[in-house]
Amino acid sequence: MTQPTVSERSAPPDQTPEKRGMMRTVLRHRLFWPAAVLVLLLVGNVFFTPSFFSIRLQDGHLYGSLIDILRASTPLILVGLGMTLVIATGGIDLSVGSVMAIAGAVACLRISDLPDPNSVGGVLAAVGFALLLALVLGLWNGLLVAVGGIQPIIATLILMVAGRGLAQLITDGQIINVRSDPYRVIGAGYVLTVPVSVIIAGLFVAAAALLVRRSALGLLLESVGGSPAASRLAGIQARTLILTVYVFAALCAGIAGLIFSSNVSSADGNNTGNLIELDAILAVVIGGTALTGGRFSIAGTVLGAVIINTLNITVYTVGIPSNVTLLFKAVVVVVLCLLQSPSFRAWASGVKRLLPTPSRAGGAA
Amino acid sequence: MLKRLSVALVAGALAFGVAACGGEEAGGGSTGGGGDDKITMGFAQVGAESGWRTANTKSIQESAASAGIELKFSDAQQKQENQIKAIRSYIAQKVDVIAFSPVVETGWDTVLKEAKDANIPVILTDRAVDSQDTSLYKTFIGSDFVLEGKKAGEWLVKEYEGKTEPVNIVQLEGTTGSAPANDRKSGFTDVIKADPKFKIIASQTGEFTRAKGKEVMEALIKANPDIDVLYAHNDDMGLGAIEAIEAAGKKPGTDIKIITVDAVKDGMTALAAGKINFIVECSPLLGPQLMDLAKKVVKGEQVEQRVLTEETTFTPEQAKAALPERKY
């Protein structure tokens, strides 16, 4: 869905009326400003790391800062994907970080108990079990919200708190180390030079996008989020839909947890996915999905997740001191949110119009 | 008449009951607060952010059990507000002694004052607080992080003795604002700044975790292609960084020399395998010393303001020898 934005923006600015009209649509596209901030961040990095855009083959896999950003983004992209659909129905899922921690912990625990941690079958069984558990946790959330009628923020808060404790219980408060090559593949492996985690996240995003946009599912989700009463009167099975999105969100979080723990070959019940729910909500919001439910954008969320991780990497490469890191991130996010706010833009262009310089044409370009 | 009698009886029974309860309470209070038999300790741990920390937790729990001290344990998940909450609840529960490892150095004055007002002695373990008023705590038992940083720096100076080319150093800091991060940094910097060939070209926080250590090192190794030395404030970040170095096609320990602090089992294994070059030990096994101090403090005996834990350093050869007996 970002495709039209990217291709249109890269077109040279021409002065024919037709082109100008296109420019205007690009500017008005809701993903224009996030994309612009991302490009700005990436280009800004080149001043500090001249080889920032270079990608080369290293030991038979792609290697470069851009690959790092993509790889580091995968857990957040997956968690954000689930969060987008949940938010589309007017809900929210705070428990994703805890589900990540549980999935990673369970998988690592089972693998460390295997007689041979390098057996592919054993690893697959462990991964399958962890994902099954994630589904059950999602079902729990979904039942509380859809059947129990508990407010989503409260219903998922339960698992957010309890789940973190459960993860610590599973790991016994320790970091579980696993030395398993098949498990390592998930988060740190490569297939045909491409990181496996990026392939997994890509497949999930593509499948979800196809499912919601090529069928009526997306429309139904938006209607449930937009107006629960109207969709009920229209005969939409809101309960099943809501249940499904929470299960899906937990599944995404489970996979994100596996990628995260496999990347460092260890499970850390305490830190895995800590506060990722907030980053995921931020990614969703940056992507232009309203927290009130209704219209949503999967591409926007992916873009948001990539921006957040680019911001992290920028902090490292530029060498921003640790104690101002959070402030730096906050400033970027505030600027981004203001740029996306129509009322702020209207106010800004109003101020511009008052200025005597002929800046209107400049403002449009 | 009968009615009045029964009322009197009930009133009497109630009065007796209340008295009994009161008596029981007083008895319970004296055993809890008097400290003649069983001491109750409230311990507010930082979290379980590393193998080191979990070994520390285990040591405290085990030595409390063997010393006959009742331990109330809480995990702050690396957040100061959680720790303050835990300490407040220990004050409310009237424990005999409070011990804790402060997540960060500052912001403790209010809650420590509350403990002092409640006459509950406080022992700091492993990390210090930055407070003008040293009467707020009885003693501080733990490692000297500045010394650890110095030991790391001294090894580096010796390793590059007689060489003149510049040495590019990358530093992975601990949690921003925490005492080990601040002190390990300053101790290290103090030693190496005497020689201008040592340059810290990048220094970022890896939050003491393996995942962050890897993520930060991936970025730093690309931004700075000629890194000679990595100094990580704990083993876990170093282990994460090793993965990033290997993914970049370089050999940890050879292409990039690695110094870490802690000496947990995973770190020692990497040291024995030559992937880390030098580890400064920071022993987490301070449980027995802590329990001794707690008993003395509760009895009202005078204790030293600063008690150090015994520690050493490891080279790969020493690691190979020490590894079979490493408990954590």
Side-chain angles (χ1 to χ4, degrees):
Chain A
M1 262 161 283
T2 30
Q3 235 54 21
T5 335
V6 174
S7 56
E8 282 169 38
R9 191 160 28 72
S10 55
D14 225 301
Q15 286 309 311
T16 59
E18 193 184 296
K19 285 279 168 62
R20 206 188 279 166
M22 221 163 82
M23 277 303 293
R24 201 168 296 148
T25 8
V26 170
L27 271 172
R28 288 229 183 105
H29 194 283
R30 59 175 162 173
L31 293 185
F32 171 77
W33 291 108
V37 167
L38 178 60
V39 170
L40 208 67
L41 277 174
L42 291 174
V43 171
N45 265 297
V46 178
F47 292 103
F48 297 92
T49 313
S51 63
F52 192 76
F53 283 112
S54 82
I55 293 175
R56 63 184 159 95
L57 275 177
Q58 172 73 51
D59 300 333
H61 61 77
L62 293 173
Y63 176 86
S65 298
L66 295 179
I67 302 296
D68 280 353
I69 291 174
L70 273 182
R71 272 190 53 227
S73 305
T74 50
L76 189 57
I77 288 176
L78 281 167
V79 169
L81 173 66
M83 188 71 82
T84 309
L85 298 189
V86 169
I87 286 178
T89 66
I92 201 151
D93 189 349
L94 297 182
S95 70
V96 282
S98 297
V99 174
M100 268 180 79
I102 292 173
V106 166
C108 284
L109 189 69
R110 286 184 79 97
I111 290 169
S112 66
D113 283 346
L114 286 176
D116 172 24
N118 283 326
S119 86
V120 178
V123 169
L124 280 179
V127 165
F129 183 77
L131 292 181
L132 198 69
L133 192 61
L135 288 175
V136 172
L137 294 172
L139 197 63
W140 162 262
N141 277 337
L143 284 174
L144 285 183
V145 175
V147 181
I150 301 174
Q151 281 184 353
I153 197 164
I154 303 298
T156 56
L157 185 69
I158 297 170
L159 190 57
M160 173 188 167
V161 178
R164 183 69 56 192
L166 197 60
Q168 282 165 357
L169 207 64
I170 294 167
T171 57
D172 203 12
Q174 306 279 323
I175 295 174
I176 304 179
N177 288 302
V178 289
R179 279 178 229 294
S180 162
D181 292 330
Y183 188 60
R184 235 184 96 84
V185 167
I186 302 172
Y190 296 84
V191 169
L192 298 171
T193 77
V194 183
V196 173
S197 55
V198 174
I199 296 174
I200 295 174
L203 283 178
F204 254 77
V205 169
L210 272 179
L211 204 65
V212 297
R213 293 302 177 208
R214 293 277 171 250
S215 76
L217 193 62
L219 192 69
L220 297 180
L221 288 175
E222 287 181 349
S223 80
V224 168
S227 169
S231 46
R232 185 170 49 83
L233 291 175
I236 295 173
Q237 294 263 354
R239 195 174 279 187
T240 324
L241 275 176
I242 291 176
L243 201 68
T244 315
V245 290
Y246 282 95
V247 171
F248 181 70
L251 177 66
C252 288
I255 294 170
L258 294 179
I259 290 175
F260 191 91
S261 92
S262 151
N263 185 30
V264 285
S265 292
S266 63
D268 182 346
N270 221 346
N271 291 307
T272 305
N274 196 17
L275 295 181
I276 201 171
E277 57 277 350
L278 298 183
D279 274 349
I281 293 170
L282 184 62
V284 171
V285 171
I286 289 175
T289 303
L291 284 181
T292 44
R295 288 188 66 190
F296 65 94
S297 165
I298 290 176
T301 301
V302 173
L303 192 58
V306 173
I307 287 177
I308 291 172
N309 279 287
T310 308
L311 208 49
N312 282 338
I313 304 256
T314 306
V315 165
Y316 308 143
T317 51
V318 174
I320 293 170
S322 313
N323 45 5
V324 289
T325 299
L326 292 175
L327 190 68
F328 168 75
K329 287 186 188 174
V331 169
V332 175
V333 170
V334 165
V335 168
L336 186 52
C337 289
L338 283 178
L339 283 174
Q340 277 181 288
S341 149
S343 41
F344 175 80
R345 287 216 304 274
W347 177 80
S349 59
V351 169
K352 218 179 274 169
R353 227 166 275 146
L354 288 177
L355 296 175
T357 44
S359 62
R360 274 176 77 182
Chain B
M1 252 290 267
L2 214 101
K3 212 177 190 177
R4 214 176 268 170
L5 189 74
S6 61
V7 168
L9 271 175
V10 168
L14 273 178
F16 182 74
V18 167
C21 282
E24 226 168 71
E25 223 161 59
S30 75
T31 46
D36 345 289
D37 41 9
K38 194 148 182 153
I39 296 172
T40 311
M41 172 191 277
F43 190 87
Q45 182 61 285
V46 173
E49 79 278 13
S50 59
W52 190 97
R53 186 64 57 190
T54 45
N56 178 241
T57 300
K58 236 183 202 163
S59 164
I60 288 163
Q61 285 168 336
E62 282 169 6
S63 47
S66 60
I69 290 177
E70 197 191 326
L71 185 70
K72 291 179 190 292
F73 185 87
S74 75
D75 181 325
Q77 301 188 347
Q78 287 121 278
K79 287 195 199 71
Q80 185 177 29
E81 66 264 31
N82 289 350
Q83 225 169 13
I84 290 176
K85 253 182 262 168
I87 295 170
R88 290 224 162 100
S89 95
Y90 292 146
I91 296 171
Q93 292 172 46
K94 298 196 171 65
V95 297
D96 298 300
V97 55
I98 292 173
F100 77 111
S101 304
V103 177
V104 292
E105 283 190 302
T106 49
W108 298 101
D109 287 26
T110 318
V111 70
L112 289 183
K113 188 99 200 332
E114 287 167 27
K116 194 184 176 190
D117 292 343
N119 270 326
I120 299 174
V122 173
I123 301 175
L124 304 178
T125 66
D126 145 55
R127 296 183 182 185
V129 297
D130 188 10
S131 171
Q132 301 295 321
D133 187 359
T134 52
S135 78
L136 290 176
Y137 56 90
K138 289 283 178 223
T139 178
F140 165 35
I141 170 175
S143 317
D144 185 339
F145 301 130
V146 179
L147 190 68
E148 287 169 1
K150 280 187 178 152
K151 283 180 189 166
E154 277 155 12
W155 179 84
L156 189 65
V157 170
K158 217 167 168 197
E159 182 74 10
Y160 283 90
E161 213 169 31
K163 290 179 188 160
T164 46
E165 304 120 68
V167 179
N168 291 332
I169 305 163
V170 155
Q171 180 174 232
L172 286 176
E173 301 169 23
T175 309
T176 308
S178 70
N182 292 347
D183 293 355
R184 283 175 192 163
K185 188 177 177 176
S186 70
F188 183 74
T189 321
D190 281 352
V191 172
I192 61 162
K193 76 175 171 203
D195 193 334
K197 77 178 172 209
F198 293 114
K199 277 195 203 91
I200 298 183
I201 51 172
S203 185
Q204 284 289 327
T205 177
E207 289 166 21
F208 282 133
T209 66
R210 206 175 288 190
K212 273 280 171 201
K214 182 174 181 179
E215 190 183 309
V216 175
M217 195 64 194
E218 278 174 351
L220 293 185
I221 209 168
K222 290 183 182 82
N224 312 284
D226 46 353
I227 299 171
D228 299 310
V229 174
L230 164 71
Y231 169 47
H233 287 180
N234 79 345
D235 289 345
D236 280 313
M237 290 192 294
L239 291 169
I242 285 173
E243 297 204 15
I245 293 169
E246 282 174 341
K250 294 190 174 177
K251 262 190 93 174
T254 315
D255 296 333
I256 296 179
K257 297 219 158 77
I258 302 177
I259 313 167
T260 65
V261 185
D262 271 2
V264 297
K265 202 169 186 174
D266 293 329
M268 293 287 272
T269 313
L271 179 63
K275 290 184 177 181
I276 296 179
N277 303 72
F278 188 68
I279 298 187
V280 180
E281 188 188 35
C282 177
S283 174
L285 306 179
L286 45 74
Q289 273 174 293
L290 172 64
M291 297 309 150
D292 280 352
L293 281 173
K295 282 180 181 166
K296 283 184 187 161
V297 163
V298 171
K299 271 185 205 149
E301 286 175 30
Q302 204 57 41
V303 289
E304 297 236 3
Q305 269 267 321
R306 182 77 174 88
V307 180
L308 281 181
T309 35
E310 269 182 38
E311 282 154 359
T312 174
T313 58
F314 292 100
T315 59
E317 291 71 39
Q318 291 165 325
K320 272 178 209 153
L323 203 52
E325 289 147 41
R326 206 71 181 165
K327 272 197 280 183
Y328 55 93

